[in-house]
Amino acid sequence: MSSNVLKKRLLILGGNGYVGQNICHAALLQSDKYLVRSLSRSGPPSPSSTPPHLASTLEQVEWVSGDVFDASARKDSMEGVDYVVSTIGAFGSNEFMQRICGDATIEAILTAKEAGVKKFGFVSSAQVYEGSAGLKIPESVPMHGYFQGKYRAEKELVRGFPNNHVILRPGFIYGPRAAGALGILPLHLLGAPLSFVGTGMGPVSKVIGRIPFVGKEMESMVPVDSVGRAMVESLGKEGEMDRGITLEAEDIRRF
């Protein structure tokens, strides 16, 4: 029997992006357990958008070019897949963010359900929880569409995969990020100190945490490699979950 028969097949939506690459990497560090496929419009990442420490691992990914809004592309990419993870998100107008941060993942959830996918993971936002400052942003204000899109996607995921979903709610995600002609952006040089201020300075951090919106963001910064490990290890828990898994930033940083 081929060893591939025993491996879980994992599809990453947006696997060539910053977060997606790190989830692919985390899964392929367990190459005895996972085969990894990515669906994105541009297929594989270019060398200039791939951090050197991920390059050799990402060569093992099956890169599929396709539009997540194309039903046939979604269906084909999910054939034979055990788990799906959506890392899809982008900034722009509120209408654009509602579509990319919400509708794209919602359509993928519906297709995954029809395809018999066992588990579905989603990278959401620290601001997506009932009563959050992010969800109270008026429609006319920038970022309304981003948080509302993520919120709608979370709701659909819980409906579609009530016992077999993994939701991560990070704030700012930091680590080395390849940015084409700009080279490697050392986001950890900004994120790690700010994260310490938001979480590791005792009374000072508690005061900051009380500031609407800003406090939540300051306490929710996470390393990108922790995001990758948190998603892969949570999906890999054996057996059907009694209920889905939702990990806040503090939980993610433990990975």
Side-chain angles (χ1 to χ4, degrees):
M1 179 182 293
S2 170
S3 61
N4 285 351
V5 174
L6 304 176
K7 296 180 180 181
K8 298 296 184 184
R9 296 178 181 272
L10 174 63
L11 171 67
I12 311 296
L13 303 176
N16 63 358
Y18 173 50
V19 174
Q21 287 181 6
N22 280 272
I23 296 176
C24 290
H25 176 73
L28 288 168
L29 288 179
Q30 303 180 51
S31 58
D32 59 323
K33 296 182 180 180
Y34 292 102
L35 295 171
V36 179
R37 177 184 297 164
S38 166
L39 174 67
S40 58
R41 280 190 171 185
S42 55
S46 65
S48 64
S49 62
T50 305
H53 71 288
L54 302 182
S56 61
T57 308
L58 296 181
E59 290 177 356
Q60 303 172 52
V61 175
E62 177 190 355
W63 299 103
V64 178
S65 300
D67 187 344
V68 72
F69 288 107
D70 181 337
S72 62
R74 294 195 306 272
K75 183 178 178 180
D76 291 347
S77 68
M78 292 184 191
E79 184 175 354
V81 164
D82 297 290
Y83 308 151
V84 174
V85 174
S86 174
T87 67
I88 299 170
F91 299 105
S93 68
N94 280 323
E95 181 180 2
F96 174 80
M97 290 187 287
Q98 285 275 18
R99 180 165 168 77
I100 301 301
C101 300
D103 296 340
T105 294
I106 289 169
E107 292 190 21
I109 292 165
L110 297 175
T111 301
K113 189 70 175 176
E114 293 175 358
V117 169
K118 297 179 179 68
K119 298 179 183 179
F120 198 109
F122 177 50
V123 181
S124 185
S125 165
Q127 293 290 344
V128 178
Y129 62 93
E130 298 296 340
S132 75
L135 293 181
K136 294 177 182 177
I137 293 176
E139 290 185 28
S140 59
V141 175
M143 295 300 291
H144 169 87
Y146 183 89
F147 298 126
Q148 289 294 331
K150 295 276 190 181
Y151 178 72
R152 290 189 299 108
E154 276 200 20
K155 291 297 186 184
E156 186 59 45
L157 180 52
V158 172
R159 281 193 294 270
F161 290 81
N163 298 322
N164 290 295
H165 64 264
V166 176
I167 295 171
L168 305 188
R169 290 176 175 168
F172 177 69
I173 300 173
Y174 60 85
R177 179 170 188 167
L182 296 177
I184 302 297
L185 301 181
L187 300 182
H188 50 289
L189 297 183
L190 173 66
L194 288 176
S195 179
F196 178 74
V197 172
T199 63
M201 294 186 65
V204 173
S205 298
K206 289 182 179 179
V207 171
I208 294 172
R210 297 191 189 104
I211 303 173
F213 190 87
V214 173
K216 185 66 175 177
E217 287 298 311
M218 288 290 290
E219 68 185 27
S220 298
M221 299 184 181
V222 297
V224 69
D225 52 351
S226 293
V227 174
R229 288 192 296 267
M231 180 60 76
V232 171
E233 293 184 24
S234 297
L235 285 171
K237 290 189 175 181
E238 293 298 329
E240 184 165 317
M241 308 170 192
D242 292 332
R243 59 180 182 177
I245 295 173
T246 299
L247 301 180
E248 306 292 344
E250 183 179 3
D251 306 311
I252 296 169
R253 286 194 292 266
R254 295 194 180 104
F255 286 86

PDB file of all heavy atoms in Angstrom, residues 76-100:
ATOM      1  N   ASP A  76     -13.082  21.015  -8.134  1.00  0.00           N
ATOM      2  CA  ASP A  76     -11.943  20.220  -8.595  1.00  0.00           C
ATOM      3  C   ASP A  76     -10.823  20.188  -7.566  1.00  0.00           C
ATOM      4  O   ASP A  76     -10.204  19.145  -7.335  1.00  0.00           O
ATOM      5  CB  ASP A  76     -11.410  20.781  -9.917  1.00  0.00           C
ATOM      6  CG  ASP A  76     -12.369  20.566 -11.083  1.00  0.00           C
ATOM      7  OD1 ASP A  76     -13.317  19.768 -10.929  1.00  0.00           O
ATOM      8  OD2 ASP A  76     -12.178  21.218 -12.125  1.00  0.00           O
ATOM      9  N   SER A  77     -10.553  21.340  -6.944  1.00  0.00           N
ATOM     10  CA  SER A  77      -9.440  21.407  -5.986  1.00  0.00           C
ATOM     11  C   SER A  77      -9.733  20.629  -4.708  1.00  0.00           C
ATOM     12  O   SER A  77      -8.814  20.197  -4.019  1.00  0.00           O
ATOM     13  CB  SER A  77      -9.112  22.862  -5.649  1.00  0.00           C
ATOM     14  OG  SER A  77     -10.157  23.466  -4.899  1.00  0.00           O
ATOM     15  N   MET A  78     -11.013  20.432  -4.390  1.00  0.00           N
ATOM     16  CA  MET A  78     -11.392  19.727  -3.167  1.00  0.00           C
ATOM     17  C   MET A  78     -11.591  18.230  -3.366  1.00  0.00           C
ATOM     18  O   MET A  78     -11.867  17.514  -2.405  1.00  0.00           O
ATOM     19  CB  MET A  78     -12.663  20.347  -2.579  1.00  0.00           C
ATOM     20  CG  MET A  78     -12.476  21.737  -2.040  1.00  0.00           C
ATOM     21  SD  MET A  78     -13.974  22.397  -1.260  1.00  0.00           S
ATOM     22  CE  MET A  78     -13.498  24.127  -1.047  1.00  0.00           C
ATOM     23  N   GLU A  79     -11.422  17.767  -4.595  1.00  0.00           N
ATOM     24  CA  GLU A  79     -11.602  16.339  -4.849  1.00  0.00           C
ATOM     25  C   GLU A  79     -10.585  15.519  -4.061  1.00  0.00           C
ATOM     26  O   GLU A  79      -9.375  15.721  -4.162  1.00  0.00           O
ATOM     27  CB  GLU A  79     -11.446  16.051  -6.344  1.00  0.00           C
ATOM     28  CG  GLU A  79     -11.713  14.604  -6.706  1.00  0.00           C
ATOM     29  CD  GLU A  79     -11.664  14.359  -8.212  1.00  0.00           C
ATOM     30  OE1 GLU A  79     -11.533  15.339  -8.972  1.00  0.00           O
ATOM     31  OE2 GLU A  79     -11.758  13.185  -8.602  1.00  0.00           O
ATOM     32  N   GLY A  80     -11.074  14.598  -3.252  1.00  0.00           N
ATOM     33  CA  GLY A  80     -10.203  13.735  -2.467  1.00  0.00           C
ATOM     34  C   GLY A  80      -9.571  14.381  -1.252  1.00  0.00           C
ATOM     35  O   GLY A  80      -8.722  13.779  -0.592  1.00  0.00           O
ATOM     36  N   VAL A  81      -9.979  15.599  -0.925  1.00  0.00           N
ATOM     37  CA  VAL A  81      -9.363  16.355   0.179  1.00  0.00           C
ATOM     38  C   VAL A  81     -10.044  16.022   1.507  1.00  0.00           C
ATOM     39  O   VAL A  81     -11.265  15.888   1.575  1.00  0.00           O
ATOM     40  CB  VAL A  81      -9.442  17.871  -0.121  1.00  0.00           C
ATOM     41  CG1 VAL A  81      -9.181  18.704   1.126  1.00  0.00           C
ATOM     42  CG2 VAL A  81      -8.459  18.236  -1.222  1.00  0.00           C
ATOM     43  N   ASP A  82      -9.244  15.905   2.559  1.00  0.00           N
ATOM     44  CA  ASP A  82      -9.763  15.640   3.904  1.00  0.00           C
ATOM     45  C   ASP A  82     -10.068  16.935   4.657  1.00  0.00           C
ATOM     46  O   ASP A  82     -11.113  17.051   5.297  1.00  0.00           O
ATOM     47  CB  ASP A  82      -8.751  14.818   4.710  1.00  0.00           C
ATOM     48  CG  ASP A  82      -8.506  13.455   4.102  1.00  0.00           C
ATOM     49  OD1 ASP A  82      -9.422  12.609   4.161  1.00  0.00           O
ATOM     50  OD2 ASP A  82      -7.402  13.235   3.552  1.00  0.00           O
ATOM     51  N   TYR A  83      -9.126  17.886   4.596  1.00  0.00           N
ATOM     52  CA  TYR A  83      -9.264  19.138   5.339  1.00  0.00           C
ATOM     53  C   TYR A  83      -9.075  20.322   4.388  1.00  0.00           C
ATOM     54  O   TYR A  83      -8.253  20.262   3.469  1.00  0.00           O
ATOM     55  CB  TYR A  83      -8.210  19.262   6.449  1.00  0.00           C
ATOM     56  CG  TYR A  83      -8.095  18.089   7.396  1.00  0.00           C
ATOM     57  CD1 TYR A  83      -6.875  17.805   8.007  1.00  0.00           C
ATOM     58  CD2 TYR A  83      -9.190  17.277   7.699  1.00  0.00           C
ATOM     59  CE1 TYR A  83      -6.738  16.751   8.892  1.00  0.00           C
ATOM     60  CE2 TYR A  83      -9.062  16.221   8.587  1.00  0.00           C
ATOM     61  CZ  TYR A  83      -7.838  15.958   9.170  1.00  0.00           C
ATOM     62  OH  TYR A  83      -7.707  14.902  10.042  1.00  0.00           O
ATOM     63  N   VAL A  84      -9.807  21.388   4.648  1.00  0.00           N
ATOM     64  CA  VAL A  84      -9.640  22.645   3.910  1.00  0.00           C
ATOM     65  C   VAL A  84      -9.366  23.764   4.908  1.00  0.00           C
ATOM     66  O   VAL A  84      -9.968  23.796   5.992  1.00  0.00           O
ATOM     67  CB  VAL A  84     -10.897  22.995   3.082  1.00  0.00           C
ATOM     68  CG1 VAL A  84     -10.767  24.379   2.444  1.00  0.00           C
ATOM     69  CG2 VAL A  84     -11.146  21.947   1.999  1.00  0.00           C
ATOM     70  N   VAL A  85      -8.468  24.663   4.553  1.00  0.00           N
ATOM     71  CA  VAL A  85      -8.191  25.851   5.369  1.00  0.00           C
ATOM     72  C   VAL A  85      -8.310  27.085   4.489  1.00  0.00           C
ATOM     73  O   VAL A  85      -7.705  27.141   3.412  1.00  0.00           O
ATOM     74  CB  VAL A  85      -6.783  25.807   5.995  1.00  0.00           C
ATOM     75  CG1 VAL A  85      -6.475  27.135   6.706  1.00  0.00           C
ATOM     76  CG2 VAL A  85      -6.660  24.648   6.968  1.00  0.00           C
ATOM     77  N   SER A  86      -9.067  28.078   4.928  1.00  0.00           N
ATOM     78  CA  SER A  86      -9.150  29.349   4.219  1.00  0.00           C
ATOM     79  C   SER A  86      -8.306  30.405   4.919  1.00  0.00           C
ATOM     80  O   SER A  86      -8.523  30.714   6.093  1.00  0.00           O
ATOM     81  CB  SER A  86     -10.596  29.843   4.129  1.00  0.00           C
ATOM     82  OG  SER A  86     -10.631  31.144   3.564  1.00  0.00           O
ATOM     83  N   THR A  87      -7.356  30.942   4.172  1.00  0.00           N
ATOM     84  CA  THR A  87      -6.552  32.065   4.669  1.00  0.00           C
ATOM     85  C   THR A  87      -6.892  33.328   3.893  1.00  0.00           C
ATOM     86  O   THR A  87      -6.163  34.310   3.942  1.00  0.00           O
ATOM     87  CB  THR A  87      -5.048  31.775   4.506  1.00  0.00           C
ATOM     88  OG1 THR A  87      -4.714  31.737   3.113  1.00  0.00           O
ATOM     89  CG2 THR A  87      -4.673  30.444   5.137  1.00  0.00           C
ATOM     90  N   ILE A  88      -8.006  33.302   3.172  1.00  0.00           N
ATOM     91  CA  ILE A  88      -8.340  34.383   2.245  1.00  0.00           C
ATOM     92  C   ILE A  88      -8.720  35.657   2.989  1.00  0.00           C
ATOM     93  O   ILE A  88      -9.543  35.636   3.906  1.00  0.00           O
ATOM     94  CB  ILE A  88      -9.491  33.957   1.323  1.00  0.00           C
ATOM     95  CG1 ILE A  88      -9.091  32.735   0.497  1.00  0.00           C
ATOM     96  CG2 ILE A  88      -9.892  35.091   0.394  1.00  0.00           C
ATOM     97  CD1 ILE A  88     -10.239  32.112  -0.254  1.00  0.00           C
ATOM     98  N   GLY A  89      -8.142  36.753   2.575  1.00  0.00           N
ATOM     99  CA  GLY A  89      -8.462  38.055   3.153  1.00  0.00           C
ATOM    100  C   GLY A  89      -7.709  39.135   2.403  1.00  0.00           C
ATOM    101  O   GLY A  89      -6.667  38.867   1.800  1.00  0.00           O
ATOM    102  N   ALA A  90      -8.238  40.330   2.395  1.00  0.00           N
ATOM    103  CA  ALA A  90      -7.582  41.439   1.706  1.00  0.00           C
ATOM    104  C   ALA A  90      -8.187  42.751   2.193  1.00  0.00           C
ATOM    105  O   ALA A  90      -9.261  42.765   2.800  1.00  0.00           O
ATOM    106  CB  ALA A  90      -7.752  41.314   0.193  1.00  0.00           C
ATOM    107  N   PHE A  91      -7.478  43.827   1.927  1.00  0.00           N
ATOM    108  CA  PHE A  91      -7.951  45.156   2.306  1.00  0.00           C
ATOM    109  C   PHE A  91      -8.358  45.926   1.055  1.00  0.00           C
ATOM    110  O   PHE A  91      -7.832  45.697  -0.035  1.00  0.00           O
ATOM    111  CB  PHE A  91      -6.867  45.915   3.065  1.00  0.00           C
ATOM    112  CG  PHE A  91      -6.444  45.238   4.342  1.00  0.00           C
ATOM    113  CD1 PHE A  91      -5.233  44.569   4.421  1.00  0.00           C
ATOM    114  CD2 PHE A  91      -7.280  45.245   5.443  1.00  0.00           C
ATOM    115  CE1 PHE A  91      -4.848  43.938   5.592  1.00  0.00           C
ATOM    116  CE2 PHE A  91      -6.907  44.612   6.623  1.00  0.00           C
ATOM    117  CZ  PHE A  91      -5.689  43.949   6.684  1.00  0.00           C
ATOM    118  N   GLY A  92      -9.306  46.832   1.227  1.00  0.00           N
ATOM    119  CA  GLY A  92      -9.795  47.645   0.121  1.00  0.00           C
ATOM    120  C   GLY A  92     -11.062  48.359   0.549  1.00  0.00           C
ATOM    121  O   GLY A  92     -11.226  48.700   1.726  1.00  0.00           O
ATOM    122  N   SER A  93     -11.964  48.559  -0.385  1.00  0.00           N
ATOM    123  CA  SER A  93     -13.243  49.171  -0.033  1.00  0.00           C
ATOM    124  C   SER A  93     -14.033  48.200   0.841  1.00  0.00           C
ATOM    125  O   SER A  93     -13.766  46.994   0.862  1.00  0.00           O
ATOM    126  CB  SER A  93     -14.051  49.488  -1.298  1.00  0.00           C
ATOM    127  OG  SER A  93     -14.476  48.277  -1.933  1.00  0.00           O
ATOM    128  N   ASN A  94     -15.028  48.707   1.550  1.00  0.00           N
ATOM    129  CA  ASN A  94     -15.830  47.832   2.399  1.00  0.00           C
ATOM    130  C   ASN A  94     -16.552  46.764   1.589  1.00  0.00           C
ATOM    131  O   ASN A  94     -16.657  45.608   2.022  1.00  0.00           O
ATOM    132  CB  ASN A  94     -16.821  48.650   3.232  1.00  0.00           C
ATOM    133  CG  ASN A  94     -16.176  49.280   4.442  1.00  0.00           C
ATOM    134  OD1 ASN A  94     -15.309  48.688   5.071  1.00  0.00           O
ATOM    135  ND2 ASN A  94     -16.580  50.498   4.786  1.00  0.00           N
ATOM    136  N   GLU A  95     -17.046  47.138   0.421  1.00  0.00           N
ATOM    137  CA  GLU A  95     -17.710  46.164  -0.443  1.00  0.00           C
ATOM    138  C   GLU A  95     -16.732  45.059  -0.868  1.00  0.00           C
ATOM    139  O   GLU A  95     -17.067  43.874  -0.846  1.00  0.00           O
ATOM    140  CB  GLU A  95     -18.279  46.859  -1.676  1.00  0.00           C
ATOM    141  CG  GLU A  95     -19.017  45.928  -2.622  1.00  0.00           C
ATOM    142  CD  GLU A  95     -19.566  46.647  -3.835  1.00  0.00           C
ATOM    143  OE1 GLU A  95     -19.340  47.872  -3.971  1.00  0.00           O
ATOM    144  OE2 GLU A  95     -20.217  45.983  -4.659  1.00  0.00           O
ATOM    145  N   PHE A  96     -15.523  45.462  -1.239  1.00  0.00           N
ATOM    146  CA  PHE A  96     -14.493  44.505  -1.651  1.00  0.00           C
ATOM    147  C   PHE A  96     -14.143  43.573  -0.491  1.00  0.00           C
ATOM    148  O   PHE A  96     -14.024  42.351  -0.670  1.00  0.00           O
ATOM    149  CB  PHE A  96     -13.255  45.272  -2.118  1.00  0.00           C
ATOM    150  CG  PHE A  96     -12.068  44.398  -2.431  1.00  0.00           C
ATOM    151  CD1 PHE A  96     -11.994  43.724  -3.643  1.00  0.00           C
ATOM    152  CD2 PHE A  96     -11.035  44.270  -1.517  1.00  0.00           C
ATOM    153  CE1 PHE A  96     -10.890  42.919  -3.937  1.00  0.00           C
ATOM    154  CE2 PHE A  96      -9.929  43.471  -1.807  1.00  0.00           C
ATOM    155  CZ  PHE A  96      -9.861  42.797  -3.021  1.00  0.00           C
ATOM    156  N   MET A  97     -13.973  44.107   0.696  1.00  0.00           N
ATOM    157  CA  MET A  97     -13.594  43.280   1.842  1.00  0.00           C
ATOM    158  C   MET A  97     -14.716  42.333   2.262  1.00  0.00           C
ATOM    159  O   MET A  97     -14.452  41.208   2.693  1.00  0.00           O
ATOM    160  CB  MET A  97     -13.153  44.166   3.016  1.00  0.00           C
ATOM    161  CG  MET A  97     -11.831  44.867   2.769  1.00  0.00           C
ATOM    162  SD  MET A  97     -11.175  45.764   4.206  1.00  0.00           S
ATOM    163  CE  MET A  97     -12.303  47.169   4.268  1.00  0.00           C
ATOM    164  N   GLN A  98     -15.962  42.771   2.142  1.00  0.00           N
ATOM    165  CA  GLN A  98     -17.076  41.867   2.424  1.00  0.00           C
ATOM    166  C   GLN A  98     -16.994  40.653   1.494  1.00  0.00           C
ATOM    167  O   GLN A  98     -17.227  39.511   1.915  1.00  0.00           O
ATOM    168  CB  GLN A  98     -18.414  42.578   2.220  1.00  0.00           C
ATOM    169  CG  GLN A  98     -18.802  43.553   3.315  1.00  0.00           C
ATOM    170  CD  GLN A  98     -19.511  42.862   4.488  1.00  0.00           C
ATOM    171  OE1 GLN A  98     -19.449  41.657   4.663  1.00  0.00           O
ATOM    172  NE2 GLN A  98     -20.210  43.663   5.291  1.00  0.00           N
ATOM    173  N   ARG A  99     -16.678  40.900   0.237  1.00  0.00           N
ATOM    174  CA  ARG A  99     -16.623  39.819  -0.744  1.00  0.00           C
ATOM    175  C   ARG A  99     -15.425  38.901  -0.500  1.00  0.00           C
ATOM    176  O   ARG A  99     -15.573  37.673  -0.472  1.00  0.00           O
ATOM    177  CB  ARG A  99     -16.552  40.419  -2.154  1.00  0.00           C
ATOM    178  CG  ARG A  99     -16.484  39.388  -3.272  1.00  0.00           C
ATOM    179  CD  ARG A  99     -16.787  40.039  -4.605  1.00  0.00           C
ATOM    180  NE  ARG A  99     -16.457  39.179  -5.745  1.00  0.00           N
ATOM    181  CZ  ARG A  99     -17.188  38.159  -6.154  1.00  0.00           C
ATOM    182  NH1 ARG A  99     -18.292  37.837  -5.511  1.00  0.00           N
ATOM    183  NH2 ARG A  99     -16.823  37.440  -7.213  1.00  0.00           N
ATOM    184  N   ILE A 100     -14.242  39.481  -0.327  1.00  0.00           N
ATOM    185  CA  ILE A 100     -13.030  38.668  -0.191  1.00  0.00           C
ATOM    186  C   ILE A 100     -12.924  38.021   1.193  1.00  0.00           C
ATOM    187  O   ILE A 100     -12.578  36.845   1.313  1.00  0.00           O
ATOM    188  CB  ILE A 100     -11.777  39.517  -0.482  1.00  0.00           C
ATOM    189  CG1 ILE A 100     -11.836  40.102  -1.897  1.00  0.00           C
ATOM    190  CG2 ILE A 100     -10.515  38.685  -0.298  1.00  0.00           C
ATOM    191  CD1 ILE A 100     -11.945  39.073  -2.998  1.00  0.00           C
TER     192      ILE A 100
END
